[in-house]
Amino acid sequence: MLGGEGHSDPWVKAVDWFLIAMVVLNVLAVVLESVEHLSIAHGPVFHAFDLFSVMVFSLEYLLRLWTAVELEDRRFHHPLAGRLRWMISPMALIDLLAVLPFYLGMFVQLDLRAIRVLRVLRVFKLGRYSMAMSVMVSVARQETRAIGAVLFVMLVVLIFTSSLMYLFEHRAQPHVFSDIPTAMWWSVVTLTTLGYGDMVPITPMGRMLGGLTAILGVGMIALPTGVLASGFSEQIRLRREEYREAVARALEDGAISRRQRRRLDEARLHLGLSEDEAASILEQAVNHPDHCPHCGGLIHHMDGS
Amino acid sequence: MLGGEGHSDPWVKAVDWFLIAMVVLNVLAVVLESVEHLSIAHGPVFHAFDLFSVMVFSLEYLLRLWTAVELEDRRFHHPLAGRLRWMISPMALIDLLAVLPFYLGMFVQLDLRAIRVLRVLRVFKLGRYSMAMSVMVSVARQETRAIGAVLFVMLVVLIFTSSLMYLFEHRAQPHVFSDIPTAMWWSVVTLTTLGYGDMVPITPMGRMLGGLTAILGVGMIALPTGVLASGFSEQIRLRREEYREAVARALEDGAISRRQRRRLDEARLHLGLSEDEAASILEQAVNHPDHCPHCGGLIHHMDGS
Amino acid sequence: MLGGEGHSDPWVKAVDWFLIAMVVLNVLAVVLESVEHLSIAHGPVFHAFDLFSVMVFSLEYLLRLWTAVELEDRRFHHPLAGRLRWMISPMALIDLLAVLPFYLGMFVQLDLRAIRVLRVLRVFKLGRYSMAMSVMVSVARQETRAIGAVLFVMLVVLIFTSSLMYLFEHRAQPHVFSDIPTAMWWSVVTLTTLGYGDMVPITPMGRMLGGLTAILGVGMIALPTGVLASGFSEQIRLRREEYREAVARALEDGAISRRQRRRLDEARLHLGLSEDEAASILEQAVNHPDHCPHCGGLIHHMDGS
Amino acid sequence: MLGGEGHSDPWVKAVDWFLIAMVVLNVLAVVLESVEHLSIAHGPVFHAFDLFSVMVFSLEYLLRLWTAVELEDRRFHHPLAGRLRWMISPMALIDLLAVLPFYLGMFVQLDLRAIRVLRVLRVFKLGRYSMAMSVMVSVARQETRAIGAVLFVMLVVLIFTSSLMYLFEHRAQPHVFSDIPTAMWWSVVTLTTLGYGDMVPITPMGRMLGGLTAILGVGMIALPTGVLASGFSEQIRLRREEYREAVARALEDGAISRRQRRRLDEARLHLGLSEDEAASILEQAVNHPDHCPHCGGLIHHMDGS
């Protein structure tokens, strides 16, 4: 699930794995430090490890900033503007957020507990190393508008049901459904079919609305699921098609050279296809050249061949 | 997510955004006014803003009614009948509902709190401005019968499980499962996997039925999700195909004129396709006119053509 | 959603609608009779209506039994064996169950309340009149094995998690997790993500297992949903294909006669397609005869036509 | 759902069914023995049955180990290394786990209750006999990376939301949200939309984060469902295509011999297709050899051929 950024240099890999281990250990430290008896018993250890982590992550940040101009992306090539542009890229902001609370705490009077807990933000640094998430990110990007529409529908339903529920239940349970913002908490808990049970309607009208809200909630789960299911199907189709085209291009001269094979393998990894799937596409293209390179179906040439 | 109705006149856009802001502020006002200490402290402000809103929305309604005859839709062209027909269109009814409670409250003795809360209905006015929801509405329309069937199945299961649960649990918990309508509340809460925990079976038979109901509930979630997932896939396929056909028509004379490009752009917006997707379809049609008739991808003729 | 069995005779339709109304009123009567103050106030009315219902449904059963030999299905054509075979068909058994408790109550000493509540079984008589459910029944039949496998996986997971949870929590909460059958109730409530909260693990090991069970529960919801989603897509594809073939057959002689159009309409209803969808398929087949009648894609004849 | 491993020898089938019955009875025994009054009343019966079961399963294990070299799989053909390799295969490990606790309990001082409950592991022995699960296993294998990515996302979200919730609620409810590991229990319960209600945020910030977590939880359900739904569609498409190719190969000489038909039937069982589906594919291939190369349906040539 995790792995380097495709480098093959063992030193680069070692550094990558060291940084991954540092993040995991940091998260573990934050979680364990919150347990009172552990934080009392091993306070100095936690503190020393945090100091060490901040030093490592600060160094990492500075080195990444320094070498940003040598990244493939052209936007970062300018010595100054490029580095500033890199600083506002999402991954760079996460790297900054991973160390910023520590330095802020030195100058400003901050809630110490908050600083300690916010170190957990470092977990997002792992995003850099995960390859399997590329399909997921693509689906999210592809379906942004649909997901936005789902959230918009959810917000409208949330406002509407909580207002009505306040109207129905406020008189019967004035301390439970005390105002609409509080009723919104009930509404979120119901629309997501969470159902804590801390706020429950008791009037007939309230229960009818509650049942309706719950059924709408099933729809609120079905909508994004439907969107994502069709999004995944689409992404997988697109990626398979792209690989098929790469294979077709490689086959144009009749055979696949070793260099082409290596390129296909890179494409496979990049597209997140399994080896089996890639092999089956390749086999089909080699043995059945009269298949459509896009949908994989056999093309009948009806002119008698 | 929100935006004008495709007008490019900056004045029209400004009015649209003003009305959107009015709706959002109104919803916010209703929510905040329900918080007791806010409504006591700022009562007059809320009241003044409501008066202003009713004036704005009343004016909007009258102007929309007046200009209904100039809409593209032919049904509204008749001076009188057309305007009456417009008045019973869904969006017009929502616009009316947004101001009606205020005027009703002036003549009839109504529950003041209800009038205030019902102003939240104005949130549905936003539906006019959301474009991303067109796919959702199409899916809903396409799957109406399937969704109806799912609701019918849900109702039958609801009646059946609540009656049996009443039979099993009434004697053990006469004050909890007091009658079938009350047991229906349990049934809805269980079938939607909400599980508040305010009514829980305790007899062995009741728990067995409860477990079965919960598993049926998973099916009740799976059914609409399955329907919607296949509905979304279908809608996206249909819309992409429609755009492909529009591109093919535009390409019949070999090139795409500026006017055709503008029309394609309108079709793209209307079909809710992203720019990337449209560009990829266009690129494929232009550069590879010899495309697979099924998936729209390029066919490599390996026999030498 | 409901409707006759495709008959056009107004008398048949009237009888169908009368029987549908009787079933709906019966269900309503059972639900309302369970409310104590209603059953005390209107006891005789409920009783009289039940007597009338039993008479109607008994008559219906006898008439259906009598005319079974005239059904299209050959299996029922034999005067005696055919009628016996009809009696064990699912719909006939439901019709029998709708009246049996009443007659049994006359001979055997039964729990009166159970007899009254079981009248709710009559709701299943509605299944005969619902047309929109045919897609759903087809999907269920098509995916029987997959659904069976899902239930089997669920059962194994249920047994496994409840046994382990009993092991972890029995000592800490001996009265809550008192034995494995009780722990199974917790397991069902967790695996379906119902979460009543009447049984909650409190030990670290128990909570770890609880979290794992909840995540497995998400899988238990995802599995049937995935199965049903792909099942619905498949059914809709199959039905559209079948209609497309019917259209192609009707078009073989170049035009569609009035009789063929009526037949196509019957096929459309039978397949549960919407009018829009059918019209689009028809239009495509008429205007673009060189589309594949199955997948709807354009077929390029590459021999130069 | 259950059945032999495809053997037709009645003796083999009888032994298979005996072993299946033994597993089912064992699981039942474990479940019932946990009920105190049953274990007191029938202790010796349970004990005798357990002894008998261990003997049967031990014998089964030894015989399977002995005959491992005769399995089709080449890896197991070596007399010693093959048997050792078989011992570490998943099914063999399950068989060993089914009896190991008993023998361990004879030598080491173990928690007797744990040994008794762990016998429930024997339920996994049923995996050997279930054929309908092959599609499910294929989907799981095909989507391993996607499921791994979903679990990774879930873990990151879990750590992040529980840390923040600890920050928001610890001061208001120090005994409920006492540390981050405890807050993680809340987070799992919320992300899976379980919602026991044993830990509920009460501060405004906590409730806002709670609502966000619940909505993320809906996404956490939608993600794997979307993955599995597209995975199932894909598997079914692949399997149908594979069968179609097998039919095409069998039809190359114009007719299907009895031997070929038997092979097709084996392929059908292996691919988990229903008889109906297979028959429809076969019928189409035999009667309409001029089929659409994409969907496998007949192409009507309207130009007179």
Side-chain angles (χ1 to χ4, degrees):
Chain A
M1 208 155 60
L2 293 171
E5 288 166 283
H7 298 296
S8 47
D9 185 333
W11 277 103
V12 175
K13 276 199 172 169
V15 170
D16 277 352
W17 281 111
F18 170 69
L19 289 171
I20 291 173
M22 282 301 291
V23 170
V24 171
L25 286 173
N26 260 276
V27 169
L28 218 65
V30 173
V31 169
L32 294 179
E33 202 179 354
S34 77
V35 183
E36 207 170 342
H37 69 90
L38 287 178
S39 103
I40 289 170
H42 306 289
V45 179
F46 284 121
H47 191 65
F49 181 65
D50 187 32
L51 269 180
F52 176 64
S53 303
V54 167
M55 273 167 53
V56 168
F57 291 141
S58 302
L59 190 66
E60 183 201 358
Y61 183 76
L62 291 175
L63 286 175
R64 283 195 193 273
L65 177 60
W66 186 252
T67 57
V69 289
E70 285 169 43
L71 286 173
E72 272 186 41
D73 197 324
R74 281 218 170 170
R75 290 177 301 143
F76 306 142
H77 282 189
H78 189 276
L80 185 69
R83 287 201 173 96
L84 285 173
R85 228 174 262 136
W86 178 83
M87 282 178 79
I88 55 166
S89 70
M91 280 317 295
L93 284 174
I94 287 172
D95 282 355
L96 188 62
L97 272 173
V99 292
L100 204 63
F102 178 84
Y103 294 111
L104 276 180
M106 286 166 66
F107 301 106
V108 196
Q109 193 62 30
L110 277 177
D111 180 358
L112 212 78
R113 213 168 41 90
I115 293 175
R116 260 186 282 156
V117 169
L118 283 176
R119 277 180 292 150
V120 94
L121 283 166
R122 292 172 189 165
V123 77
F124 289 111
K125 287 170 77 85
L126 288 181
R128 195 193 300 277
Y129 305 102
S130 169
M131 288 190 308
M133 281 170 69
S134 89
V135 176
M136 229 161 267
V137 171
S138 301
V139 169
R141 207 169 280 167
Q142 175 187 297
E143 305 289 341
T144 315
R145 283 163 52 110
I147 293 170
V150 168
L151 288 177
F152 177 68
V153 170
M154 216 171 193
L155 192 71
V156 170
V157 171
L158 175 68
I159 290 168
F160 186 64
T161 53
S162 57
S163 302
L164 276 189
M165 191 49 104
Y166 166 75
L167 198 62
F168 292 153
E169 291 286 325
H170 178 63
R171 219 162 278 174
Q173 311 183 74
H175 295 295
V176 180
F177 291 87
S178 54
D179 42 46
I180 295 181
T182 310
M184 278 175 165
W185 170 244
W186 168 84
S187 205
V188 164
V189 166
T190 303
L191 279 174
T192 55
T193 77
L194 192 53
Y196 282 132
D198 53 343
M199 295 174 73
V200 177
I202 53 170
T203 66
M205 286 299 284
R207 286 192 166 176
M208 227 169 272
L209 177 66
L212 213 82
T213 308
I215 290 166
L216 281 174
V218 170
M220 293 293 113
I221 291 181
L223 269 183
T225 308
V227 167
L228 287 181
S230 87
F232 272 104
S233 293
E234 189 55 25
Q235 264 300 317
I236 287 164
R237 197 185 61 75
L238 281 176
R239 278 153 187 262
R240 198 177 291 123
E241 196 174 295
E242 215 168 302
Y243 189 72
R244 218 173 258 139
E245 277 179 31
V247 168
R249 269 198 305 279
L251 272 173
E252 261 170 3
D253 54 357
I256 295 183
S257 68
R258 187 176 293 179
R259 206 169 115 264
Q260 283 173 328
R261 190 171 288 274
R262 208 167 48 237
R263 277 211 188 153
L264 281 180
D265 228 51
E266 273 168 31
R268 184 186 70 74
L269 273 175
H270 180 70
L271 294 168
L273 295 178
S274 71
E275 278 184 47
D276 279 14
E277 217 163 0
S280 124
I281 290 171
L282 194 63
E283 188 263 358
Q284 210 173 38
V286 173
N287 297 338
H288 310 290
D290 48 356
H291 275 70
C292 166
H294 301 275
C295 62
L298 182 65
I299 296 166
H300 278 281
H301 296 283
M302 304 200 173
D303 46 49
S305 69
Chain B
M1 207 156 60
L2 293 171
E5 287 167 285
H7 298 297
S8 47
D9 186 332
W11 277 103
V12 175
K13 276 199 172 169
V15 171
D16 277 353
W17 282 111
F18 170 70
L19 288 172
I20 291 173
M22 283 300 292
V23 171
V24 171
L25 286 174
N26 260 275
V27 169
L28 219 64
V30 174
V31 170
L32 295 178
E33 203 179 354
S34 77
V35 183
E36 207 169 342
H37 69 92
L38 287 177
S39 104
I40 290 170
H42 306 289
V45 180
F46 285 122
H47 191 65
F49 180 66
D50 187 32
L51 270 179
F52 176 64
S53 303
V54 167
M55 274 167 52
V56 168
F57 291 140
S58 303
L59 190 67
E60 183 202 357
Y61 183 77
L62 291 176
L63 286 176
R64 282 194 193 275
L65 177 60
W66 186 251
T67 57
V69 289
E70 286 169 42
L71 287 173
E72 270 186 44
D73 197 325
R74 282 217 168 171
R75 288 176 304 142
F76 306 141
H77 283 190
H78 190 276
L80 187 67
R83 287 201 173 92
L84 285 173
R85 228 173 262 136
W86 178 84
M87 284 178 78
I88 55 166
S89 69
M91 279 317 295
L93 285 174
I94 286 172
D95 282 353
L96 189 61
L97 273 173
V99 293
L100 205 63
F102 178 85
Y103 295 112
L104 276 180
M106 287 166 64
F107 301 107
V108 196
Q109 192 64 30
L110 276 176
D111 179 358
L112 211 77
R113 214 167 41 90
I115 293 174
R116 259 185 283 158
V117 169
L118 282 176
R119 278 180 292 149
V120 95
L121 283 167
R122 292 171 189 166
V123 78
F124 290 111
K125 287 170 78 83
L126 287 181
R128 195 194 300 277
Y129 304 102
S130 169
M131 289 190 307
M133 281 171 69
S134 90
V135 175
M136 229 162 268
V137 171
S138 300
V139 169
R141 206 168 282 165
Q142 174 188 299
E143 305 290 341
T144 316
R145 284 164 52 112
I147 293 169
V150 167
L151 287 177
F152 176 68
V153 170
M154 217 171 191
L155 193 71
V156 169
V157 171
L158 177 67
I159 291 169
F160 186 64
T161 53
S162 57
S163 302
L164 276 190
M165 192 48 104
Y166 165 75
L167 197 63
F168 292 153
E169 291 285 326
H170 178 63
R171 218 161 281 173
Q173 311 183 71
H175 296 294
V176 181
F177 290 87
S178 55
D179 43 45
I180 294 181
T182 310
M184 277 174 167
W185 171 243
W186 169 85
S187 206
V188 164
V189 167
T190 303
L191 279 175
T192 57
T193 76
L194 193 53
Y196 281 132
D198 54 343
M199 295 174 74
V200 177
I202 52 169
T203 65
M205 285 299 284
R207 288 194 162 174
M208 226 168 274
L209 178 65
L212 214 82
T213 309
I215 289 166
L216 281 173
V218 170
M220 293 293 114
I221 291 182
L223 268 183
T225 308
V227 167
L228 287 181
S230 88
F232 271 102
S233 292
E234 189 56 23
Q235 264 301 316
I236 286 164
R237 197 184 63 75
L238 282 176
R239 278 154 186 259
R240 197 176 292 125
E241 202 172 288
E242 215 168 300
Y243 188 72
R244 211 174 266 138
E245 277 178 30
V247 168
R249 271 199 304 279
L251 272 173
E252 260 169 4
D253 54 359
I256 295 184
S257 68
R258 187 176 294 181
R259 207 169 115 263
Q260 283 174 326
R261 190 171 288 274
R262 209 167 46 239
R263 277 212 187 151
L264 280 180
D265 228 50
E266 273 169 31
R268 184 185 70 75
L269 273 175
H270 179 70
L271 294 169
L273 295 178
S274 70
E275 279 184 47
D276 279 14
E277 217 164 2
S280 123
I281 291 171
L282 193 63
E283 188 262 359
Q284 217 167 40
V286 172
N287 296 338
H288 311 291
D290 194 6
H291 57 282
C292 167
H294 302 274
C295 63
L298 172 67
I299 294 168
H300 283 276
H301 293 285
M302 305 206 171
D303 46 46
S305 70
Chain C
M1 208 154 58
L2 293 171
E5 289 168 284
H7 298 296
S8 47
D9 185 333
W11 277 104
V12 175
K13 276 200 173 171
V15 170
D16 276 352
W17 281 111
F18 169 70
L19 289 171
I20 291 173
M22 282 300 292
V23 171
V24 171
L25 286 173
N26 259 274
V27 169
L28 218 63
V30 174
V31 170
L32 294 178
E33 202 179 354
S34 77
V35 182
E36 208 171 342
H37 69 92
L38 288 177
S39 104
I40 290 170
H42 306 288
V45 180
F46 285 120
H47 191 65
F49 180 66
D50 186 32
L51 269 180
F52 175 65
S53 302
V54 166
M55 273 167 52
V56 169
F57 291 140
S58 302
L59 190 66
E60 184 203 356
Y61 183 77
L62 291 176
L63 286 175
R64 283 196 192 272
L65 177 60
W66 186 252
T67 57
V69 290
E70 286 170 42
L71 287 172
E72 270 186 43
D73 197 326
R74 282 216 166 171
R75 289 175 304 143
F76 307 140
H77 284 189
H78 189 275
L80 185 67
R83 286 203 174 90
L84 285 173
R85 230 174 260 138
W86 178 84
M87 284 178 77
I88 55 166
S89 69
M91 279 317 295
L93 284 175
I94 287 173
D95 282 353
L96 188 62
L97 272 173
V99 292
L100 205 64
F102 178 85
Y103 294 112
L104 275 180
M106 287 166 64
F107 300 106
V108 196
Q109 192 63 31
L110 276 178
D111 179 359
L112 212 76
R113 213 168 42 91
I115 293 174
R116 260 186 282 158
V117 170
L118 283 176
R119 277 179 294 148
V120 95
L121 282 168
R122 289 169 193 169
V123 77
F124 290 110
K125 286 170 77 83
L126 289 181
R128 195 194 300 276
Y129 303 104
S130 169
M131 288 191 308
M133 280 170 69
S134 89
V135 175
M136 229 161 269
V137 170
S138 301
V139 169
R141 206 168 282 165
Q142 174 188 299
E143 305 290 340
T144 316
R145 282 164 51 111
I147 293 169
V150 168
L151 288 177
F152 176 68
V153 170
M154 217 171 190
L155 192 71
V156 169
V157 171
L158 176 67
I159 290 168
F160 186 64
T161 53
S162 56
S163 302
L164 276 190
M165 192 49 105
Y166 165 74
L167 197 62
F168 292 151
E169 291 285 326
H170 178 62
R171 220 162 276 175
Q173 310 184 73
H175 296 294
V176 181
F177 291 86
S178 55
D179 44 44
I180 294 181
T182 311
M184 277 174 166
W185 171 243
W186 168 84
S187 205
V188 164
V189 166
T190 302
L191 279 175
T192 56
T193 75
L194 192 53
Y196 282 131
D198 54 343
M199 294 174 73
V200 176
I202 52 170
T203 65
M205 286 299 284
R207 287 194 164 173
M208 226 168 275
L209 178 66
L212 214 83
T213 308
I215 290 167
L216 281 174
V218 170
M220 293 292 113
I221 291 180
L223 268 183
T225 308
V227 167
L228 287 180
S230 87
F232 271 103
S233 291
E234 189 57 24
Q235 263 301 316
I236 287 163
R237 197 185 63 75
L238 281 176
R239 277 155 186 259
R240 197 175 296 125
E241 193 174 300
E242 216 168 302
Y243 188 72
R244 216 172 260 140
E245 276 179 31
V247 168
R249 271 198 305 277
L251 272 173
E252 260 170 2
D253 54 359
I256 296 183
S257 68
R258 186 176 297 180
R259 205 167 118 264
Q260 283 173 328
R261 189 171 288 274
R262 208 166 49 238
R263 276 210 186 154
L264 280 180
D265 227 50
E266 274 169 30
R268 184 185 70 74
L269 274 175
H270 179 69
L271 293 168
L273 296 178
S274 71
E275 278 184 48
D276 279 13
E277 216 164 3
S280 125
I281 290 170
L282 195 62
E283 189 263 359
Q284 208 172 40
V286 172
N287 296 339
H288 309 290
D290 49 355
H291 276 70
C292 167
H294 301 274
C295 62
L298 181 65
I299 296 167
H300 279 280
H301 296 286
M302 304 205 174
D303 45 49
S305 69
Chain D
M1 208 155 59
L2 293 172
E5 288 168 283
H7 298 296
S8 46
D9 185 334
W11 276 103
V12 175
K13 276 200 172 171
V15 170
D16 277 351
W17 281 111
F18 170 70
L19 289 171
I20 291 172
M22 282 299 291
V23 170
V24 171
L25 287 174
N26 259 275
V27 169
L28 218 64
V30 173
V31 170
L32 295 178
E33 202 179 353
S34 78
V35 183
E36 205 170 345
H37 69 90
L38 288 178
S39 104
I40 290 170
H42 306 287
V45 179
F46 285 120
H47 191 66
F49 180 66
D50 186 33
L51 269 180
F52 176 65
S53 303
V54 167
M55 273 167 54
V56 167
F57 291 140
S58 303
L59 190 66
E60 184 202 357
Y61 182 77
L62 291 175
L63 286 175
R64 282 195 194 273
L65 176 62
W66 185 252
T67 57
V69 290
E70 285 170 42
L71 287 173
E72 271 186 41
D73 197 325
R74 280 218 168 169
R75 289 176 304 141
F76 306 141
H77 283 189
H78 188 276
L80 185 68
R83 285 200 175 95
L84 285 173
R85 228 174 261 138
W86 178 84
M87 282 178 79
I88 55 166
S89 70
M91 281 315 297
L93 284 175
I94 287 173
D95 282 355
L96 187 62
L97 272 174
V99 292
L100 204 64
F102 178 84
Y103 293 113
L104 276 181
M106 286 167 64
F107 300 106
V108 196
Q109 192 63 29
L110 277 178
D111 179 0
L112 212 78
R113 214 168 40 91
I115 293 174
R116 259 185 282 158
V117 170
L118 283 176
R119 277 181 292 149
V120 95
L121 283 166
R122 291 171 190 167
V123 77
F124 289 110
K125 286 170 77 84
L126 288 181
R128 195 193 300 278
Y129 305 103
S130 170
M131 288 191 307
M133 280 170 69
S134 90
V135 176
M136 227 161 272
V137 170
S138 301
V139 169
R141 206 168 283 167
Q142 175 188 297
E143 306 289 341
T144 315
R145 282 164 52 110
I147 293 169
V150 168
L151 288 177
F152 177 67
V153 171
M154 217 172 191
L155 192 71
V156 169
V157 171
L158 176 68
I159 289 168
F160 186 63
T161 54
S162 57
S163 301
L164 276 190
M165 192 48 106
Y166 165 75
L167 196 62
F168 292 152
E169 291 286 325
H170 179 61
R171 221 161 277 176
Q173 309 182 75
H175 295 295
V176 179
F177 290 87
S178 55
D179 43 44
I180 295 181
T182 311
M184 278 175 164
W185 170 244
W186 168 84
S187 205
V188 164
V189 166
T190 302
L191 279 174
T192 56
T193 77
L194 192 53
Y196 282 132
D198 54 343
M199 294 173 75
V200 177
I202 52 169
T203 65
M205 286 299 285
R207 285 194 166 174
M208 226 168 273
L209 178 66
L212 213 83
T213 309
I215 290 166
L216 280 174
V218 170
M220 294 292 113
I221 292 181
L223 268 182
T225 309
V227 167
L228 287 180
S230 87
F232 272 104
S233 292
E234 189 56 25
Q235 264 300 318
I236 287 163
R237 196 185 63 75
L238 281 175
R239 278 152 187 260
R240 198 176 293 123
E241 199 174 289
E242 214 168 303
Y243 189 72
R244 211 174 267 137
E245 276 178 32
V247 168
R249 270 198 305 277
L251 271 173
E252 260 170 3
D253 54 357
I256 295 184
S257 66
R258 186 175 297 179
R259 206 168 117 264
Q260 283 173 327
R261 190 172 288 275
R262 207 164 51 235
R263 277 212 186 153
L264 280 181
D265 228 50
E266 274 168 29
R268 184 186 71 73
L269 273 175
H270 179 68
L271 293 168
L273 295 177
S274 72
E275 278 185 45
D276 279 14
E277 216 164 1
S280 127
I281 290 172
L282 194 63
E283 190 262 359
Q284 218 169 35
V286 172
N287 296 339
H288 311 293
D290 195 6
H291 57 282
C292 168
H294 302 274
C295 63
L298 171 67
I299 294 168
H300 283 277
H301 294 285
M302 307 209 169
D303 46 47
S305 70

